[in-house]
Amino acid sequence: MNDWPQGWSDDNRGTRYGRGSSGAQPESARVMRQVRRGPSAPPGGPPGGVPQQPSYVNGGQGDAGGYDGYDSGYNTGQVYGAPGGRGPGDASGGGGGGAMGEPRPAPDWRRRIKITSITVVTVLLATTVGTYFWADSKLNREVDLSKVIDRPEAGEGTNYLIVGSDSREGMSAEDKKELHTGSAEGKRTDSMMILHTGDNGSTLVSLPRDSDVEIPTFKGSESGKTYQGTGRHTKLNAAYAEDGPELLVRTVEFNTGLRIDHYVEIGFAGFANIVDAVGGVEIDIPQDIKDTKSGANLKKGKQTLNGEEALAFVRTRYALAGSDLDRTKNQQKFLSALANQVATPGTVLNPFKLYPTMGAGLDSLIVDKDMGLFDLASMFWAMKGVSGGDGTSMNMPISGSTGGNLVWDKAKVKTLVEQLKNDEKVTVSSD
């Protein structure tokens, strides 16, 4: 027999809570407090404050035709936190209404691409600016061309005096032995070239170290004292040995009439380091070369030379039929190949090659005080053009020799200098 109370009033509900109850409250009733989900019962409602349970007859509507009774919160969808009482199935929300049910907006790809582009450009710009100031700070601007007196008028285009010295500065005894440089004190010019850049292509003119030149009146680079010219003739490389780069520039300008705009010098160790930094330089050697003086032991044909082999190649003259004249041709050929290698995308776009190459080159270069990175880059691109066939490479025209010195062909030299001054296409040959 069912003992469940028939009503909910305090008078007849008794103390029984279920079948077989003897009046004691169940454990759950003693522990748990009743939680009301809906509003309090209106006055006059059932005793005890328990709201009227809704009827689900006729589609869930009570006697009044609506849900005016107990509201658990599930009827409005508010239990899901949906604003406005919309549930997950609300038609106006398309099944996705509410804070958690709404679909994510489509990504704004234009905005993302714009932000990414700005970030990339900013990083590249910062890297470029940083690299520029880093490289500019490494240039050794030691040569002061303002000390050179009685200079010729400037012409069209730009003229660089490129000097390879036999400086052993910074080299250990092991380095000197490996590179076959010897241990002579001081430094002398091992090669000299004039590179002209302009609108009619580039021209690279080698000045043989044994060229017969006159030492003019000059001002000492250190003492500031003026030394009067006496008409004394000597080899060109003696000018450098006597008073350094400033006297060498003064002597070249006096004997040619061509103004030198920039000076660039590199020593033995720096030259070898640059070649190694770019991973070697490929060049086609026209003949077998074996020279105990320079340490060259090279076979004929196309091959890649490392720093040690490259230095031996450009220094060799005793194993060549034309001695110094043939050596200058090899120097031109190799320097053009080196410039071409440095300017390749594989070097410029590869930071693991670019920075070591720039570091090795800039550390070992000595330039004039007015030389900038753009001037240096222009020089390399011009030399690259010469190797690519866009320019001319030649020796200073020679007419004969006297006392072991090579005498320049005055008529050809005059024509050559005029063409360079006017930035005209060079028609003079060294043959």
Side-chain angles (χ1 to χ4, degrees), residues 43-371:
V50 179
Q52 177 79 25
Q53 297 298 308
S55 171
Y56 294 90
V57 181
N58 297 327
Q61 294 185 351
D63 295 341
Y67 294 106
D68 295 330
Y70 179 80
D71 183 4
S72 66
Y74 288 88
N75 298 326
T76 64
Q78 292 179 358
V79 70
Y80 297 104
R86 294 178 183 173
D90 193 300
S92 64
M100 296 185 64
E102 291 183 358
R104 291 184 178 182
D108 189 346
W109 289 109
R110 288 185 178 179
R111 183 170 179 270
R112 291 187 181 184
I113 292 174
K114 181 179 179 181
I115 292 175
T116 301
S117 300
I118 292 175
T119 302
V120 170
V121 170
T122 301
V123 170
L124 289 176
L125 182 61
T127 302
T128 302
V129 172
T131 299
Y132 175 86
F133 284 105
W134 166 77
D136 188 71
S137 68
K138 294 180 77 66
L139 277 177
N140 300 311
R141 297 182 173 93
E142 299 178 6
V143 180
D144 189 357
L145 296 183
S146 68
K147 295 179 179 180
V148 181
I149 61 173
D150 299 332
R151 308 194 67 188
E153 291 293 328
E156 301 293 328
T158 303
N159 299 311
Y160 299 84
L161 181 60
I162 303 171
V163 175
S165 77
D166 64 0
S167 170
R168 297 155 178 84
E169 184 177 352
M171 296 176 65
S172 65
E174 184 179 351
D175 292 334
K176 295 174 183 177
K177 181 178 179 181
E178 180 181 351
L179 297 177
H180 301 274
T181 64
S183 300
E185 296 297 327
K187 60 181 181 179
R188 289 149 292 277
T189 52
D190 210 48
S191 62
M192 291 158 283
M193 303 178 189
I194 294 175
L195 174 66
H196 173 84
T197 64
D199 295 333
N200 286 293
S202 302
T203 302
L204 187 62
V205 183
S206 285
L207 309 176
R209 56 180 286 178
D210 294 338
S211 296
D212 184 79
V213 294
E214 179 182 340
I215 301 296
T217 299
F218 69 96
K219 181 183 290 187
S221 59
E222 296 295 333
S223 65
K225 180 181 177 180
T226 299
Y227 296 88
Q228 293 295 329
T230 61
R232 173 171 56 100
H233 279 244
T234 185
K235 293 181 179 181
L236 180 59
N237 66 338
Y240 182 95
E242 188 171 331
D243 198 53
E246 287 83 0
L247 179 55
L248 177 62
V249 171
R250 167 73 175 129
T251 302
V252 170
E253 290 186 341
F254 177 82
N255 285 268
T256 63
L258 186 68
R259 186 184 181 96
I260 300 299
D261 299 295
H262 292 294
Y263 178 91
V264 181
E265 178 187 326
I266 187 168
F268 283 163
F271 179 82
N273 288 340
I274 293 175
V275 174
D276 286 334
V278 297
V281 175
E282 185 179 72
I283 191 169
D284 191 0
I285 299 178
Q287 67 181 72
D288 291 348
I289 298 177
K290 188 173 181 63
D291 185 1
T292 57
K293 295 283 188 180
S294 67
N297 187 11
L298 305 169
K299 298 297 182 182
K300 177 181 178 180
K302 184 176 292 186
Q303 55 199 283
T304 298
L305 304 183
N306 61 25
E308 178 186 349
E309 295 166 336
L311 183 59
F313 175 69
V314 298
R315 293 182 60 218
T316 294
R317 63 170 174 163
Y318 294 105
L320 305 176
S323 188
D324 199 38
L325 292 178
D326 281 349
R327 179 171 69 165
T328 57
K329 293 177 181 178
N330 285 342
Q331 290 170 346
Q332 290 178 347
K333 185 176 182 180
F334 187 86
L335 288 178
S336 295
L338 174 60
N340 186 67
Q341 179 72 21
V342 171
T344 59
T347 299
V348 176
L349 301 180
N350 183 352
F352 298 104
K353 274 192 174 183
L354 177 63
Y355 286 98
T357 301
M358 291 179 65
L362 297 173
D363 277 340
S364 56
L365 289 179
I366 295 176
V367 299
D368 65 272
K369 293 184 179 298
D370 294 327
M371 173 74 85

